Structure formats: structure tokens, C-alpha cells
Amino acid sequence: MDFEVISPYCGIYREENTVNVYYLQTEDLVRVYVFSNIKDAQEFCNAAKNLLEFMVNVPKGKEQLYHQEFLELTIKNKEYELIVYEAMPKEEREAG
């Protein structure tokens, strides 16, 4: 499965049992969900896409936060590992 932009603020990429979620306006570069099986990973991808229809009344600027929180609720009973890669603040990049 190739990288797919699923909304103006979110993109997703799945390979086997790993799903990368990119929120375009947060400090997180990517949130990597590693599931115990491919079925759970695919269901997670489907949930991420299906949540978009419920996001129409979410206040502007809060879409990513709501999407992320609703998505987390869909997998609360699944076995997975979450790895978050954050962007390095500009000040730290310039200092290095």
C-alpha cells in the first residue's frame, strides 16, 4: 500500500502490520502503530479513513487532535505498540 493523503491534515501508509500516520500540523513527524497482525493494521487504516466523515463539525484547527483521539479509541482493545517520532524544534536544529 502506498502513502495516501486521506484529508487535508492527515496521511497514512501501511506495510504489513505497521501503520504510519502523518498529521501535517503537529510536532509529531509520524506516529507508527505496530500491530500484532495484519488484520488489525488494515482495520486501523479503514477506521482512519472512515473517521473523516465524522469530522465535518469539528472546529477548525482541532481536526488533527480529534481525529487522533477518536482513532486511539478504535484500537483501545487491540494489541499494538506506538512509536512517535517528533520534529526537532528549529532552535535545536540551529544549535546543533
Side-chain angles (χ1 to χ4, degrees):
M1 178 178 190
D2 292 323
F3 177 80
E4 181 180 357
V5 176
I6 61 172
S7 76
Y9 54 84
C10 182
I12 196 164
Y13 173 79
R14 183 181 72 83
E15 185 174 323
E16 299 291 326
N17 65 327
T18 302
V19 180
N20 297 344
V21 179
Y22 302 87
Y23 289 105
L24 306 177
Q25 298 172 354
T26 65
E27 292 180 10
D28 300 348
L29 288 178
V30 63
R31 299 175 67 82
V32 179
Y33 296 83
V34 182
F35 292 90
S36 59
N37 60 66
I38 293 172
K39 179 180 178 277
D40 287 349
Q42 184 59 55
E43 287 176 358
F44 179 76
C45 282
N46 293 342
K49 295 173 189 175
N50 292 336
L51 279 175
L52 298 177
E53 65 186 69
F54 298 102
M55 303 299 291
V56 293
N57 295 321
V58 171
K60 281 285 188 210
K62 299 284 186 185
E63 297 96 344
Q64 294 178 151
L65 177 63
Y66 279 61
H67 188 267
Q68 183 178 330
E69 290 197 20
F70 287 139
L71 198 54
E72 298 276 337
L73 287 174
T74 68
I75 58 172
K76 68 180 182 180
N77 296 321
K78 306 263 187 214
E79 186 177 319
Y80 70 95
E81 177 185 1
L82 173 61
I83 305 164
V84 178
Y85 296 96
E86 295 182 352
M88 184 184 299
K90 183 179 181 182
E91 297 81 28
E92 287 182 35
R93 285 193 310 266
E94 291 174 351

Short mmCIF file of all heavy atoms in Angstrom, two decimals, residues 31-89:
data_model
loop_
_atom_site.label_atom_id
_atom_site.label_comp_id
_atom_site.label_asym_id
_atom_site.label_seq_id
_atom_site.Cartn_x
_atom_site.Cartn_y
_atom_site.Cartn_z
N ARG A 31 3.42 8.99 13.57
CA ARG A 31 3.01 8.09 14.64
C ARG A 31 2.97 6.70 14.02
O ARG A 31 2.19 6.48 13.10
CB ARG A 31 1.65 8.50 15.20
CG ARG A 31 1.66 9.91 15.79
CD ARG A 31 0.30 10.36 16.23
NE ARG A 31 -0.22 9.60 17.34
CZ ARG A 31 0.09 9.83 18.63
NH1 ARG A 31 0.91 10.79 18.95
NH2 ARG A 31 -0.43 9.07 19.58
N VAL A 32 3.80 5.81 14.51
CA VAL A 32 3.92 4.47 13.95
C VAL A 32 3.21 3.49 14.88
O VAL A 32 3.57 3.37 16.06
CB VAL A 32 5.39 4.05 13.77
CG1 VAL A 32 5.49 2.65 13.20
CG2 VAL A 32 6.13 5.06 12.90
N TYR A 33 2.20 2.82 14.34
CA TYR A 33 1.45 1.81 15.09
C TYR A 33 1.88 0.45 14.57
O TYR A 33 1.74 0.16 13.39
CB TYR A 33 -0.05 1.99 14.88
CG TYR A 33 -0.59 3.30 15.43
CD1 TYR A 33 -0.50 4.47 14.69
CD2 TYR A 33 -1.18 3.35 16.68
CE1 TYR A 33 -0.99 5.67 15.19
CE2 TYR A 33 -1.68 4.55 17.19
CZ TYR A 33 -1.58 5.70 16.43
OH TYR A 33 -2.07 6.88 16.92
N VAL A 34 2.42 -0.37 15.46
CA VAL A 34 2.85 -1.72 15.10
C VAL A 34 1.88 -2.69 15.76
O VAL A 34 1.84 -2.81 16.99
CB VAL A 34 4.29 -2.01 15.54
CG1 VAL A 34 4.71 -3.40 15.10
CG2 VAL A 34 5.25 -0.96 15.00
N PHE A 35 1.07 -3.36 14.93
CA PHE A 35 0.05 -4.28 15.43
C PHE A 35 0.59 -5.71 15.47
O PHE A 35 1.58 -6.03 14.80
CB PHE A 35 -1.20 -4.20 14.55
CG PHE A 35 -1.91 -2.89 14.67
CD1 PHE A 35 -1.59 -1.84 13.82
CD2 PHE A 35 -2.87 -2.68 15.64
CE1 PHE A 35 -2.22 -0.61 13.94
CE2 PHE A 35 -3.51 -1.46 15.77
CZ PHE A 35 -3.18 -0.43 14.92
N SER A 36 -0.10 -6.56 16.20
CA SER A 36 0.33 -7.95 16.31
C SER A 36 -0.03 -8.76 15.06
O SER A 36 0.49 -9.86 14.88
CB SER A 36 -0.27 -8.60 17.56
OG SER A 36 -1.68 -8.56 17.50
N ASN A 37 -0.91 -8.19 14.20
CA ASN A 37 -1.27 -8.91 12.98
C ASN A 37 -1.73 -7.93 11.89
O ASN A 37 -2.03 -6.77 12.16
CB ASN A 37 -2.36 -9.96 13.27
CG ASN A 37 -3.62 -9.33 13.81
OD1 ASN A 37 -4.30 -8.58 13.12
ND2 ASN A 37 -3.94 -9.64 15.07
N ILE A 38 -1.76 -8.42 10.67
CA ILE A 38 -2.11 -7.60 9.51
C ILE A 38 -3.58 -7.19 9.54
O ILE A 38 -3.93 -6.07 9.16
CB ILE A 38 -1.77 -8.35 8.20
CG1 ILE A 38 -0.25 -8.50 8.09
CG2 ILE A 38 -2.33 -7.64 6.98
CD1 ILE A 38 0.20 -9.38 6.94
N LYS A 39 -4.43 -8.05 10.02
CA LYS A 39 -5.87 -7.75 10.07
C LYS A 39 -6.13 -6.51 10.91
O LYS A 39 -6.88 -5.61 10.51
CB LYS A 39 -6.63 -8.95 10.63
CG LYS A 39 -8.13 -8.75 10.74
CD LYS A 39 -8.80 -10.00 11.32
CE LYS A 39 -10.28 -9.82 11.49
NZ LYS A 39 -10.65 -9.13 12.72
N ASP A 40 -5.53 -6.44 12.10
CA ASP A 40 -5.72 -5.26 12.96
C ASP A 40 -5.17 -4.00 12.30
O ASP A 40 -5.76 -2.92 12.41
CB ASP A 40 -5.05 -5.48 14.32
CG ASP A 40 -5.81 -6.45 15.21
OD1 ASP A 40 -6.96 -6.82 14.87
OD2 ASP A 40 -5.24 -6.85 16.24
N ALA A 41 -4.05 -4.13 11.61
CA ALA A 41 -3.47 -2.97 10.93
C ALA A 41 -4.40 -2.48 9.82
O ALA A 41 -4.61 -1.26 9.67
CB ALA A 41 -2.10 -3.34 10.34
N GLN A 42 -4.99 -3.39 9.06
CA GLN A 42 -5.90 -2.99 7.99
C GLN A 42 -7.17 -2.36 8.56
O GLN A 42 -7.66 -1.36 8.04
CB GLN A 42 -6.27 -4.20 7.11
CG GLN A 42 -7.15 -3.83 5.93
CD GLN A 42 -6.49 -2.82 5.02
OE1 GLN A 42 -5.38 -3.03 4.54
NE2 GLN A 42 -7.15 -1.69 4.78
N GLU A 43 -7.70 -2.91 9.64
CA GLU A 43 -8.88 -2.34 10.29
C GLU A 43 -8.59 -0.93 10.80
O GLU A 43 -9.43 -0.04 10.72
CB GLU A 43 -9.36 -3.24 11.42
CG GLU A 43 -10.01 -4.51 10.93
CD GLU A 43 -10.41 -5.46 12.06
OE1 GLU A 43 -10.14 -5.16 13.24
OE2 GLU A 43 -10.98 -6.52 11.74
N PHE A 44 -7.37 -0.73 11.32
CA PHE A 44 -6.96 0.58 11.79
C PHE A 44 -6.94 1.59 10.63
O PHE A 44 -7.42 2.70 10.76
CB PHE A 44 -5.59 0.47 12.45
CG PHE A 44 -5.04 1.76 12.96
CD1 PHE A 44 -5.51 2.32 14.13
CD2 PHE A 44 -4.03 2.42 12.28
CE1 PHE A 44 -4.99 3.51 14.62
CE2 PHE A 44 -3.49 3.61 12.75
CZ PHE A 44 -3.98 4.15 13.93
N CYS A 45 -6.39 1.18 9.49
CA CYS A 45 -6.37 2.04 8.30
C CYS A 45 -7.79 2.40 7.87
O CYS A 45 -8.08 3.56 7.57
CB CYS A 45 -5.66 1.35 7.14
SG CYS A 45 -3.89 1.37 7.25
N ASN A 46 -8.65 1.42 7.85
CA ASN A 46 -10.04 1.66 7.46
C ASN A 46 -10.72 2.63 8.43
O ASN A 46 -11.46 3.52 8.01
CB ASN A 46 -10.82 0.34 7.39
CG ASN A 46 -10.34 -0.55 6.28
OD1 ASN A 46 -9.68 -0.13 5.35
ND2 ASN A 46 -10.64 -1.83 6.41
N ALA A 47 -10.46 2.46 9.72
CA ALA A 47 -11.04 3.35 10.73
C ALA A 47 -10.55 4.78 10.52
O ALA A 47 -11.32 5.73 10.62
CB ALA A 47 -10.69 2.86 12.13
N ALA A 48 -9.26 4.93 10.22
CA ALA A 48 -8.69 6.27 10.00
C ALA A 48 -9.41 6.96 8.85
O ALA A 48 -9.74 8.15 8.92
CB ALA A 48 -7.20 6.18 9.70
N LYS A 49 -9.69 6.23 7.79
CA LYS A 49 -10.38 6.80 6.63
C LYS A 49 -11.85 7.07 6.93
O LYS A 49 -12.39 8.11 6.56
CB LYS A 49 -10.26 5.86 5.43
CG LYS A 49 -8.84 5.71 4.95
CD LYS A 49 -8.74 4.64 3.89
CE LYS A 49 -7.30 4.32 3.56
NZ LYS A 49 -7.18 3.21 2.61
N ASN A 50 -12.49 6.15 7.63
CA ASN A 50 -13.92 6.28 7.92
C ASN A 50 -14.22 7.38 8.92
O ASN A 50 -15.34 7.91 8.93
CB ASN A 50 -14.48 4.95 8.43
CG ASN A 50 -14.49 3.89 7.34
OD1 ASN A 50 -14.52 4.19 6.15
ND2 ASN A 50 -14.46 2.63 7.75
N LEU A 51 -13.27 7.72 9.76
CA LEU A 51 -13.49 8.78 10.75
C LEU A 51 -13.69 10.14 10.09
O LEU A 51 -14.30 11.03 10.67
CB LEU A 51 -12.31 8.87 11.72
CG LEU A 51 -12.31 7.86 12.85
CD1 LEU A 51 -11.02 7.98 13.65
CD2 LEU A 51 -13.50 8.06 13.76
N LEU A 52 -13.19 10.31 8.89
CA LEU A 52 -13.25 11.61 8.24
C LEU A 52 -14.67 12.13 8.07
O LEU A 52 -14.92 13.32 8.19
CB LEU A 52 -12.54 11.56 6.89
CG LEU A 52 -11.05 11.24 6.99
CD1 LEU A 52 -10.45 11.13 5.61
CD2 LEU A 52 -10.33 12.27 7.82
N GLU A 53 -15.62 11.23 7.84
CA GLU A 53 -17.00 11.69 7.66
C GLU A 53 -17.59 12.23 8.95
O GLU A 53 -18.55 13.00 8.93
CB GLU A 53 -17.87 10.57 7.09
CG GLU A 53 -18.05 9.38 8.00
CD GLU A 53 -18.79 8.25 7.34
OE1 GLU A 53 -18.24 7.63 6.42
OE2 GLU A 53 -19.94 7.99 7.76
N PHE A 54 -17.02 11.87 10.09
CA PHE A 54 -17.49 12.38 11.38
C PHE A 54 -16.79 13.68 11.79
O PHE A 54 -17.13 14.27 12.80
CB PHE A 54 -17.29 11.33 12.48
CG PHE A 54 -18.04 10.08 12.24
CD1 PHE A 54 -17.41 8.94 11.76
CD2 PHE A 54 -19.41 10.02 12.47
CE1 PHE A 54 -18.11 7.77 11.52
CE2 PHE A 54 -20.12 8.85 12.23
CZ PHE A 54 -19.47 7.73 11.76
N MET A 55 -15.83 14.11 11.01
CA MET A 55 -15.02 15.27 11.37
C MET A 55 -15.57 16.58 10.83
O MET A 55 -14.98 17.63 11.05
CB MET A 55 -13.58 15.06 10.85
CG MET A 55 -12.90 13.80 11.35
SD MET A 55 -12.71 13.71 13.13
CE MET A 55 -11.50 14.97 13.36
N VAL A 56 -16.69 16.57 10.14
CA VAL A 56 -17.20 17.76 9.47
C VAL A 56 -17.57 18.89 10.43
O VAL A 56 -17.44 20.06 10.07
CB VAL A 56 -18.41 17.44 8.55
CG1 VAL A 56 -17.97 16.59 7.38
CG2 VAL A 56 -19.52 16.77 9.32
N ASN A 57 -18.00 18.57 11.65
CA ASN A 57 -18.40 19.61 12.60
C ASN A 57 -17.34 19.95 13.63
O ASN A 57 -17.61 20.69 14.57
CB ASN A 57 -19.70 19.20 13.30
CG ASN A 57 -20.86 19.12 12.34
OD1 ASN A 57 -20.99 19.95 11.44
ND2 ASN A 57 -21.70 18.12 12.50
N VAL A 58 -16.16 19.42 13.44
CA VAL A 58 -15.06 19.68 14.37
C VAL A 58 -14.54 21.10 14.10
O VAL A 58 -14.38 21.50 12.95
CB VAL A 58 -13.93 18.64 14.18
CG1 VAL A 58 -12.70 19.01 14.97
CG2 VAL A 58 -14.43 17.27 14.59
N PRO A 59 -14.28 21.87 15.17
CA PRO A 59 -13.77 23.23 14.99
C PRO A 59 -12.47 23.26 14.18
O PRO A 59 -11.62 22.38 14.34
CB PRO A 59 -13.52 23.73 16.41
CG PRO A 59 -14.32 22.82 17.30
CD PRO A 59 -14.43 21.51 16.58
N LYS A 60 -12.34 24.29 13.33
CA LYS A 60 -11.12 24.46 12.54
C LYS A 60 -9.90 24.49 13.45
O LYS A 60 -9.92 25.10 14.51
CB LYS A 60 -11.17 25.77 11.74
CG LYS A 60 -12.00 25.68 10.50
CD LYS A 60 -11.24 24.90 9.46
CE LYS A 60 -11.96 24.96 8.14
NZ LYS A 60 -11.74 23.80 7.34
N GLY A 61 -8.87 23.81 13.03
CA GLY A 61 -7.64 23.76 13.79
C GLY A 61 -7.60 22.63 14.81
O GLY A 61 -6.56 22.35 15.39
N LYS A 62 -8.72 21.99 15.07
CA LYS A 62 -8.79 20.90 16.05
C LYS A 62 -8.95 19.55 15.37
O LYS A 62 -9.01 18.52 16.03
CB LYS A 62 -9.99 21.10 17.00
CG LYS A 62 -9.94 22.36 17.80
CD LYS A 62 -8.95 22.24 18.92
CE LYS A 62 -9.03 23.47 19.81
NZ LYS A 62 -8.02 23.45 20.83
N GLU A 63 -9.01 19.53 14.03
CA GLU A 63 -9.27 18.28 13.30
C GLU A 63 -8.26 17.19 13.63
O GLU A 63 -8.63 16.05 13.89
CB GLU A 63 -9.27 18.52 11.79
CG GLU A 63 -10.34 19.45 11.31
CD GLU A 63 -9.84 20.88 11.15
OE1 GLU A 63 -8.77 21.21 11.69
OE2 GLU A 63 -10.53 21.66 10.47
N GLN A 64 -6.99 17.53 13.62
CA GLN A 64 -5.95 16.52 13.87
C GLN A 64 -6.08 15.94 15.27
O GLN A 64 -6.00 14.72 15.44
CB GLN A 64 -4.56 17.12 13.68
CG GLN A 64 -4.30 17.51 12.27
CD GLN A 64 -2.94 18.15 12.09
OE1 GLN A 64 -2.40 18.04 11.04
NE2 GLN A 64 -2.37 18.79 13.07
N LEU A 65 -6.28 16.78 16.25
CA LEU A 65 -6.40 16.33 17.63
C LEU A 65 -7.60 15.40 17.79
O LEU A 65 -7.49 14.32 18.37
CB LEU A 65 -6.53 17.53 18.57
CG LEU A 65 -6.72 17.21 20.04
CD1 LEU A 65 -5.53 16.47 20.60
CD2 LEU A 65 -6.97 18.49 20.83
N TYR A 66 -8.75 15.80 17.27
CA TYR A 66 -9.95 14.97 17.37
C TYR A 66 -9.76 13.65 16.63
O TYR A 66 -10.11 12.60 17.13
CB TYR A 66 -11.16 15.71 16.81
CG TYR A 66 -11.79 16.70 17.77
CD1 TYR A 66 -11.06 17.77 18.26
CD2 TYR A 66 -13.11 16.56 18.16
CE1 TYR A 66 -11.63 18.68 19.12
CE2 TYR A 66 -13.69 17.47 19.02
CZ TYR A 66 -12.95 18.53 19.51
OH TYR A 66 -13.53 19.43 20.36
N HIS A 67 -9.21 13.72 15.42
CA HIS A 67 -9.01 12.52 14.62
C HIS A 67 -8.10 11.55 15.38
O HIS A 67 -8.40 10.35 15.48
CB HIS A 67 -8.41 12.88 13.26
CG HIS A 67 -8.33 11.73 12.31
ND1 HIS A 67 -7.20 10.94 12.21
CD2 HIS A 67 -9.24 11.24 11.44
CE1 HIS A 67 -7.43 10.00 11.30
NE2 HIS A 67 -8.66 10.16 10.81
N GLN A 68 -7.03 12.06 15.91
CA GLN A 68 -6.08 11.22 16.64
C GLN A 68 -6.75 10.58 17.85
O GLN A 68 -6.58 9.38 18.10
CB GLN A 68 -4.90 12.08 17.07
CG GLN A 68 -3.81 11.34 17.77
CD GLN A 68 -2.64 12.25 18.12
OE1 GLN A 68 -2.38 13.22 17.43
NE2 GLN A 68 -1.98 11.95 19.20
N GLU A 69 -7.52 11.35 18.61
CA GLU A 69 -8.16 10.81 19.80
C GLU A 69 -9.24 9.78 19.46
O GLU A 69 -9.33 8.74 20.10
CB GLU A 69 -8.71 11.94 20.66
CG GLU A 69 -7.58 12.74 21.28
CD GLU A 69 -8.02 13.60 22.43
OE1 GLU A 69 -9.08 13.34 23.03
OE2 GLU A 69 -7.27 14.54 22.74
N PHE A 70 -10.05 10.06 18.45
CA PHE A 70 -11.06 9.09 18.03
C PHE A 70 -10.40 7.82 17.51
O PHE A 70 -10.87 6.72 17.78
CB PHE A 70 -11.97 9.68 16.94
CG PHE A 70 -12.95 10.70 17.45
CD1 PHE A 70 -13.20 11.84 16.69
CD2 PHE A 70 -13.62 10.55 18.65
CE1 PHE A 70 -14.10 12.80 17.14
CE2 PHE A 70 -14.51 11.50 19.11
CZ PHE A 70 -14.76 12.63 18.35
N LEU A 71 -9.32 7.97 16.78
CA LEU A 71 -8.61 6.82 16.24
C LEU A 71 -8.06 5.95 17.37
O LEU A 71 -8.13 4.72 17.32
CB LEU A 71 -7.50 7.30 15.31
CG LEU A 71 -6.93 6.30 14.33
CD1 LEU A 71 -8.02 5.67 13.48
CD2 LEU A 71 -5.91 6.98 13.44
N GLU A 72 -7.51 6.58 18.37
CA GLU A 72 -6.99 5.84 19.53
C GLU A 72 -8.10 5.04 20.21
O GLU A 72 -7.88 3.93 20.67
CB GLU A 72 -6.33 6.79 20.53
CG GLU A 72 -5.14 7.54 19.99
CD GLU A 72 -3.83 6.77 20.06
OE1 GLU A 72 -3.73 5.85 20.89
OE2 GLU A 72 -2.93 7.10 19.29
N LEU A 73 -9.31 5.61 20.26
CA LEU A 73 -10.43 4.89 20.87
C LEU A 73 -10.80 3.63 20.09
O LEU A 73 -11.24 2.64 20.68
CB LEU A 73 -11.66 5.80 20.96
CG LEU A 73 -11.61 6.89 22.02
CD1 LEU A 73 -12.83 7.81 21.90
CD2 LEU A 73 -11.54 6.29 23.42
N THR A 74 -10.61 3.66 18.78
CA THR A 74 -10.98 2.50 17.96
C THR A 74 -10.05 1.31 18.19
O THR A 74 -10.41 0.19 17.84
CB THR A 74 -10.99 2.83 16.45
OG1 THR A 74 -9.66 3.08 16.00
CG2 THR A 74 -11.90 3.98 16.13
N ILE A 75 -8.88 1.56 18.78
CA ILE A 75 -7.92 0.46 18.97
C ILE A 75 -7.62 0.19 20.43
O ILE A 75 -6.67 -0.52 20.75
CB ILE A 75 -6.61 0.74 18.20
CG1 ILE A 75 -5.97 2.04 18.64
CG2 ILE A 75 -6.84 0.69 16.72
CD1 ILE A 75 -4.59 2.28 18.07
N LYS A 76 -8.44 0.71 21.33
CA LYS A 76 -8.14 0.56 22.76
C LYS A 76 -8.09 -0.90 23.21
O LYS A 76 -7.43 -1.21 24.18
CB LYS A 76 -9.10 1.37 23.61
CG LYS A 76 -10.53 0.88 23.60
CD LYS A 76 -11.40 1.74 24.47
CE LYS A 76 -12.81 1.18 24.45
NZ LYS A 76 -13.70 1.95 25.28
N ASN A 77 -8.78 -1.80 22.50
CA ASN A 77 -8.77 -3.21 22.89
C ASN A 77 -7.86 -4.06 21.99
O ASN A 77 -7.92 -5.28 22.04
CB ASN A 77 -10.19 -3.77 22.86
CG ASN A 77 -11.07 -3.09 23.89
OD1 ASN A 77 -10.62 -2.82 25.00
ND2 ASN A 77 -12.30 -2.82 23.53
N LYS A 78 -7.06 -3.40 21.17
CA LYS A 78 -6.14 -4.12 20.27
C LYS A 78 -4.74 -4.13 20.88
O LYS A 78 -4.36 -3.24 21.64
CB LYS A 78 -6.07 -3.42 18.91
CG LYS A 78 -7.40 -3.22 18.24
CD LYS A 78 -7.68 -4.30 17.28
CE LYS A 78 -8.95 -3.96 16.50
NZ LYS A 78 -9.71 -5.10 16.18
N GLU A 79 -3.97 -5.12 20.48
CA GLU A 79 -2.58 -5.20 20.92
C GLU A 79 -1.72 -4.48 19.88
O GLU A 79 -1.71 -4.84 18.71
CB GLU A 79 -2.15 -6.66 21.02
CG GLU A 79 -0.78 -6.84 21.60
CD GLU A 79 -0.43 -8.32 21.76
OE1 GLU A 79 -1.30 -9.11 22.17
OE2 GLU A 79 0.72 -8.66 21.46
N TYR A 80 -1.02 -3.44 20.32
CA TYR A 80 -0.17 -2.67 19.42
C TYR A 80 0.90 -1.92 20.21
O TYR A 80 0.79 -1.75 21.42
CB TYR A 80 -0.99 -1.69 18.59
CG TYR A 80 -1.57 -0.54 19.38
CD1 TYR A 80 -0.90 0.69 19.45
CD2 TYR A 80 -2.76 -0.67 20.08
CE1 TYR A 80 -1.42 1.74 20.18
CE2 TYR A 80 -3.28 0.37 20.81
CZ TYR A 80 -2.61 1.58 20.86
OH TYR A 80 -3.13 2.61 21.60
N GLU A 81 1.90 -1.48 19.48
CA GLU A 81 2.94 -0.63 20.05
C GLU A 81 2.90 0.68 19.29
O GLU A 81 2.75 0.69 18.06
CB GLU A 81 4.31 -1.28 19.87
CG GLU A 81 5.45 -0.42 20.36
CD GLU A 81 6.82 -1.03 20.08
OE1 GLU A 81 6.89 -2.12 19.48
OE2 GLU A 81 7.81 -0.38 20.43
N LEU A 82 3.01 1.79 20.00
CA LEU A 82 3.02 3.11 19.37
C LEU A 82 4.41 3.72 19.51
O LEU A 82 4.96 3.79 20.61
CB LEU A 82 1.99 4.03 20.03
CG LEU A 82 2.00 5.49 19.59
CD1 LEU A 82 1.70 5.62 18.10
CD2 LEU A 82 1.01 6.30 20.40
N ILE A 83 4.95 4.15 18.39
CA ILE A 83 6.24 4.84 18.36
C ILE A 83 5.99 6.21 17.75
O ILE A 83 5.45 6.30 16.65
CB ILE A 83 7.28 4.07 17.52
CG1 ILE A 83 7.42 2.63 18.02
CG2 ILE A 83 8.62 4.80 17.52
CD1 ILE A 83 8.11 1.70 17.05
N VAL A 84 6.37 7.26 18.46
CA VAL A 84 6.14 8.62 17.98
C VAL A 84 7.49 9.26 17.68
O VAL A 84 8.36 9.31 18.54
CB VAL A 84 5.37 9.47 19.01
CG1 VAL A 84 5.20 10.89 18.52
CG2 VAL A 84 4.03 8.83 19.35
N TYR A 85 7.63 9.71 16.45
CA TYR A 85 8.82 10.45 16.04
C TYR A 85 8.45 11.91 15.97
O TYR A 85 7.54 12.29 15.23
CB TYR A 85 9.33 9.97 14.68
CG TYR A 85 9.79 8.54 14.69
CD1 TYR A 85 8.95 7.51 14.30
CD2 TYR A 85 11.08 8.22 15.13
CE1 TYR A 85 9.38 6.18 14.33
CE2 TYR A 85 11.50 6.90 15.16
CZ TYR A 85 10.64 5.89 14.76
OH TYR A 85 11.07 4.58 14.79
N GLU A 86 9.13 12.73 16.77
CA GLU A 86 8.81 14.16 16.82
C GLU A 86 9.80 14.96 16.00
O GLU A 86 10.96 14.60 15.87
CB GLU A 86 8.80 14.65 18.26
CG GLU A 86 7.71 14.02 19.10
CD GLU A 86 7.68 14.55 20.51
OE1 GLU A 86 8.60 15.29 20.92
OE2 GLU A 86 6.73 14.21 21.23
N ALA A 87 9.31 16.09 15.51
CA ALA A 87 10.18 17.02 14.80
C ALA A 87 11.09 17.71 15.81
O ALA A 87 10.68 18.02 16.92
CB ALA A 87 9.35 18.05 14.04
N MET A 88 12.31 17.93 15.41
CA MET A 88 13.23 18.65 16.27
C MET A 88 12.92 20.15 16.16
O MET A 88 12.83 20.68 15.04
CB MET A 88 14.68 18.39 15.83
CG MET A 88 15.70 19.03 16.74
SD MET A 88 17.42 18.83 16.15
CE MET A 88 17.57 17.07 16.15
N PRO A 89 12.74 20.83 17.29
CA PRO A 89 12.46 22.27 17.23
C PRO A 89 13.57 23.00 16.46
O PRO A 89 14.74 22.61 16.50
CB PRO A 89 12.46 22.70 18.69
CG PRO A 89 12.16 21.44 19.45
CD PRO A 89 12.76 20.32 18.65
#
